[in-house]
Amino acid sequence: MTRIPEEDRDILEKAIYLPMVLTVLNKDLHLIDQSPFKLKRPYMELIEETMKVIQQELTGIKREMRVRSMKVERIQTDDAFTMYMFLYKGYEEHHNYFNPRLRNRVEDLLRYYLYQRFLKTDYDKSIKA
């Protein structure tokens, strides 16, 4: 049983996912730069601007974590699961995440930040949660 309220757990999970999204975008940016695209700049600008938005959001998440006395740390990774330690107001909890779930969530967030955030849909509400 977790002692962490859902809202705070969402903040902790964003602290897990957003750096992963940035890593993927950074690798993609490098691949585009090395690719034989005729017009690379528009793709690179899209990724760079998306990274700025994510970095700003991550800064806010980290600030909120400091205010709420929260911390997240990856402890262990194997072929199937990754374990994270959540420190929450003096309590320590360990949570296992299925690696395909992590990958799928990062893919959803990539989709959101690259184009769905510009669309006004119900998806906006669900992805922010």
Side-chain angles (χ1 to χ4, degrees):
M1 175 87 180
T2 182
R3 296 177 185 250
I4 304 173
E6 186 175 344
E7 179 184 340
D8 290 342
R9 192 175 59 248
D10 290 343
I11 291 171
L12 288 165
E13 287 184 347
K14 282 184 180 181
I16 293 170
Y17 293 125
L18 292 181
M20 290 179 182
V21 174
L22 286 172
T23 299
V24 170
L25 287 172
N26 203 27
K27 287 181 181 180
D28 291 349
L29 188 63
H30 181 71
L31 286 173
I32 289 171
D33 190 40
Q34 303 301 318
S35 71
F37 286 162
K38 193 167 194 163
L39 300 171
K40 298 177 190 180
R41 197 74 219 141
Y43 300 105
M44 294 177 70
E45 287 173 358
L46 174 65
I47 291 175
E48 289 167 351
E49 290 303 314
T50 301
M51 289 175 71
K52 286 179 188 175
V53 169
I54 294 169
Q55 287 166 340
Q56 289 172 349
E57 189 167 330
L58 187 57
T59 299
I61 292 292
K62 288 182 178 181
R63 184 179 316 113
E64 191 64 29
M65 287 174 60
R66 227 178 358 265
V67 167
R68 296 183 187 204
S69 302
M70 300 186 306
K71 190 174 183 180
V72 64
E73 190 175 311
R74 184 172 65 193
I75 303 175
Q76 177 181 356
T77 301
D78 62 26
D79 291 340
F81 292 94
T82 300
M83 180 181 285
Y84 289 91
M85 177 180 59
F86 293 170
L87 294 173
Y88 178 77
K89 297 182 180 178
Y91 295 103
E92 180 179 315
E93 292 184 5
H94 293 208
H95 294 263
N96 269 322
Y97 287 85
F98 190 47
N99 289 339
R101 176 184 176 228
L102 290 170
R103 183 184 61 244
N104 291 340
R105 183 68 174 132
V106 168
E107 185 177 326
D108 289 344
L109 287 168
L110 271 171
R111 203 174 281 118
Y112 171 76
Y113 284 107
L114 285 172
Y115 67 92
Q116 286 178 338
R117 67 189 165 109
F118 300 111
L119 307 173
K120 298 298 177 203
T121 65
D122 290 333
Y123 187 78
D124 290 345
K125 296 173 190 164
S126 69
I127 200 74
K128 290 288 186 179

